[in-house]
């Protein structure tokens, strides 16, 4: 809405002090705009354009997310395990020698764990004893009840060909989002321009009908006065009344068309429906530059067409996808490192815990050997999609050429009709003046006068319609050629 307030402020500068005060009192919400201003406000306020702009930002963040996978990934972990039932180890033989051999093996372990058991106030398990032909039935419980662990894990991709191609693919995706945003702006300019011209056509048509209705009322008043004086028949009076009543529905319809087209322009501009908008100028103002614009149009310049550019970017994405499918056959190399601390105890006196650190570094090489042909089939699908895209682009270009020539033909037709229609308006005005004078002196009839009024009205409507048809065709042609409007 800042653009609307800006135009309101600028519009107020053009008024004298006394006129500006009265304007601010009566029309504080009125916005007088031209086509360039309407387009500028629409590009800044319309939700569709804003959504397209945010789509670019979203794609940029997605690409940054993909690039972040190249950096080291560091994570922390912590864990606790409570042993409910400890493992038991049995050692022993079938004779005294066997028992002695087990005791010899366990003697170093006993020497290491005995101080720990004494510090904890626990009884030291007895070593197994062998007997003649006997076997020990007592085991050794292994481990403690509380097990704590915590540390950090580090991973780094050293060689990831699929990831590299994905990053390149995301860069093209950002370009595609930008081109879609450009297409959204071009389409918005096209819609706003046509809505603006349609509003001008509705206003001009309303003015023509209003003038014709006023002229019919003047004729009715003149005929009524002559009827009262006995100079004309009652038939002339009736025909004049019918002429006024016939024009009234058309006048009401034209006024409603102005309201509806004004509302449509507000919606496209992204402003509130309650705002008062007045478009400046009329269709005849565009007649000056009409012929010059037509002579400088080149329909062969389809390189900037947004649909073609989007299809080219999609083709590039398919090529990168094919390269990414090939990269899936290459090995992946990653580096990993671990640094953790562990502690075990029978109680929860943390300050007495002995934390033992340990660390490791490793490298992993993952080589894809066999996937049942899945990667090969995926590559073939991508190649088929690439061929389909090429055929679709050829068909699209042909259709665009056909549409461009069609719009150009419509413009040429409107240019040819415009000169004839303009001369027709001059002749109709002259004929209406002659019919009025003939009727005033009693040489003409009311039918001739009404017929001249209808001919003048139709010629004026046809004249404005031909200008409107040209402007709409040119606006559609600019959309096909991808021509961006320069906002001053």
């Amino acid at each position: 809405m800042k653009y609307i307030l800006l135009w309101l402020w600028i519009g107020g500068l053009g008024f004298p002090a006394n006129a500006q005060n009265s304007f601010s009192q009566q029309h504080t919400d009125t916005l007088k705009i031209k086509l360039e201003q309407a387009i500028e406000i629409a590009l800044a306020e319309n939700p569709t354009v804003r959504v397209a702009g945010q789509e670019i930002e979203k794609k940029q963040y997605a690409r940054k997310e993909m690039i972040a996978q190249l950096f080291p990934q560091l994570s922390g972990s912590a864990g606790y395990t409570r042993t409910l039932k400890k493992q038991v180890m049995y050692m022993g033989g079938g004779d005294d020698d066997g028992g002695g051999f087990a005791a010899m093996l366990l003697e170093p372990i006993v020497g290491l764990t005995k101080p720990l058991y004494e510090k904890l106030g626990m009884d030291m398990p007895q070593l197994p004893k062998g007997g003649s032909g006997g076997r020990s039935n007592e085991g050794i419980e292994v481990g403690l009840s509380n097990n704590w662990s915590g540390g950090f894990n580090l991973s780094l991709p050293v060689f990831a060909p699929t990831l590299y191609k994905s990053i390149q693919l995301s860069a093209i995706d950002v370009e595609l989002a930008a081109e879609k945003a450009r297409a959204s702006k071009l389409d918005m300019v096209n819609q706003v321009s046509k809505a603006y011209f349609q509003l001008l056509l509705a206003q001009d048509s309303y003015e023509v009908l209003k003038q014709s209705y006023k002229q019919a009322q003047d004729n009715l008043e003149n005929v009524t006065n002559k009827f009262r004086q006995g100079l004309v028949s009652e038939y002339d009076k009736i025909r004049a009344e019918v002429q006024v009543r016939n024009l009234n529905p058309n006048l009401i319809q034209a006024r409603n068309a102005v309201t509806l087209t004004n509302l449509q322009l507000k919606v496209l501009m992204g402003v509130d429906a309650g705002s008062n908008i007045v478009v400046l100028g009329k269709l005849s103002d565009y007649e000056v530059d009409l012929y010059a614009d037509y002579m400088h149009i080149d329909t062969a310049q389809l390189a900037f067409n947004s649909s073609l550019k989007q299809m080219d970017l999609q083709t590039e994405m398919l090529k990168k996808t094919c390269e990414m499918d090939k990269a899936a056959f290459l090995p992946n190399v990653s580096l990993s490192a671990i640094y953790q601390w562990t502690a075990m105890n029978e109680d929860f006196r943390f300050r007495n815990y002995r934390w033992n650190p340990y660390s490791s570094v490793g490298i992993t090489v993952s080589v894809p050997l066999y996937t049942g042909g899945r990667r090969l089939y995926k590559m073939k699908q991508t190649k088929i999609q690439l061929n389909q895209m090429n055929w679709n682009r050829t068909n699209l270009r042909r259709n665009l050429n056909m549409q461009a020539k069609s719009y150009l033909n419509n413009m040429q037709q409107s240019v040819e009709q415009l000169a004839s229609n303009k001369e027709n308006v001059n002749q109709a005005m002259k004929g209406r003046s002659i019919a009025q004078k003939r009727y005033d002196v009693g040489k003409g009839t009311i039918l001739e006068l009404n017929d001249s009024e209808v001919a003048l009205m139709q010629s004026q409507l046809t004249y404005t319609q031909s200008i409107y048809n040209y402007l709409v065709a040119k606006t559609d042609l600019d959309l096909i050629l991808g021509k961006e409007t320069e906002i001053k």
Side-chain angles (χ1 to χ4, degrees), residues 27-293:
H27 304 283
T28 54
D29 296 330
T30 301
L31 176 63
K32 295 183 178 181
I33 59 174
K34 295 183 178 180
L35 176 60
E36 293 79 5
Q37 299 166 0
I39 293 175
E40 184 176 0
I41 295 175
L43 294 180
E45 301 293 337
N46 190 275
T48 304
V49 178
R50 288 189 173 187
V51 169
Q54 290 183 347
E55 186 69 18
I56 301 176
E57 188 177 1
K58 187 181 74 171
K59 295 295 183 181
Q60 289 174 343
Y61 285 132
R63 184 171 185 269
K64 291 180 179 179
E65 177 188 3
M66 193 121 358
I67 294 176
Q69 299 181 31
L70 295 174
F71 293 91
Q73 308 295 316
L74 180 63
S75 62
S77 62
Y80 167 74
T81 304
R82 174 70 180 183
T83 303
L84 301 179
K85 183 66 175 177
K86 299 178 182 178
Q87 294 182 352
V88 179
M89 182 182 295
Y90 292 94
M91 301 291 293
D95 48 24
D96 291 340
D97 294 338
F101 181 72
M104 180 184 67
L105 293 176
L106 293 176
E107 185 175 357
I109 300 177
V110 172
L112 294 175
T113 57
K114 184 175 181 181
L116 178 61
Y117 277 92
E118 291 178 352
K119 185 175 182 179
L120 296 175
M122 300 173 59
D123 296 334
M124 181 71 183
Q126 299 296 323
L127 294 176
K129 299 179 180 179
S132 58
R135 186 183 298 269
S136 174
N137 294 324
E138 297 181 0
I140 301 176
E141 293 183 345
V142 179
L144 300 179
S145 300
N146 300 320
N147 299 273
W148 302 84
S149 64
F152 299 96
N153 299 325
L154 179 68
S155 62
L156 174 66
V158 179
F159 180 70
T162 305
L163 179 59
Y164 303 150
K165 296 300 179 182
S166 298
I167 294 175
Q168 296 176 4
L169 187 63
S170 65
I172 303 177
D173 197 19
V174 173
E175 296 181 16
L176 180 59
E179 184 58 35
K180 289 182 178 180
R182 175 176 169 269
S184 178
K185 291 182 179 180
L186 291 175
D187 185 67
M188 183 56 57
V189 170
N190 176 268
Q191 294 185 42
V192 172
S193 299
K194 291 197 291 188
Y196 186 90
F197 296 144
Q198 188 174 4
L199 180 55
L200 288 181
L201 176 64
Q203 291 182 167
D204 290 353
S205 300
Y206 178 69
E207 290 297 327
V208 170
L209 290 171
K210 188 165 64 172
Q211 292 177 3
S212 180
Y213 183 76
K214 183 178 181 304
Q215 185 64 43
Q217 287 181 325
D218 293 341
N219 291 339
L220 175 60
E221 183 179 357
N222 186 25
V223 172
T224 302
N225 293 333
K226 289 185 177 182
F227 173 74
R228 291 173 181 174
Q229 298 174 5
L231 299 177
V232 296
S233 65
E234 184 180 3
Y235 174 78
D236 288 353
K237 179 176 178 294
I238 294 175
R239 286 292 303 174
E241 291 177 352
V242 172
Q243 182 72 8
V244 172
R245 290 188 173 88
N246 285 340
L247 289 174
N248 189 50
N250 295 331
L251 185 64
I252 296 175
Q253 185 178 3
R255 185 172 62 244
N256 292 336
V258 172
T259 303
L260 292 178
T261 52
N262 189 285
L263 180 60
Q264 181 183 6
L265 182 61
K266 293 177 186 177
V267 172
L268 292 174
M269 291 174 58
V271 300
D272 296 334
S275 303
N276 295 327
I277 294 180
V278 176
V279 295
L280 302 177
K282 50 187 178 180
L283 288 176
S284 58
D285 298 338
Y286 293 89
E287 183 184 358
V288 179
D289 301 327
L290 187 143
Y291 297 98
D293 291 341

Side-chain angles (χ1 to χ4, degrees), residues 289-318:
D289 301 327
L290 187 143
Y291 297 98
D293 291 341
Y294 174 74
M295 297 302 297
H296 290 85
I297 292 177
D298 185 8
T299 58
Q301 298 297 329
L302 288 176
F304 296 100
N305 180 267
S306 183
S307 298
L308 283 177
K309 297 190 72 173
Q310 290 184 44
M311 192 161 290
D312 291 340
L313 290 173
Q314 291 173 355
T315 302
E316 291 296 325
M317 292 183 66
L318 286 176

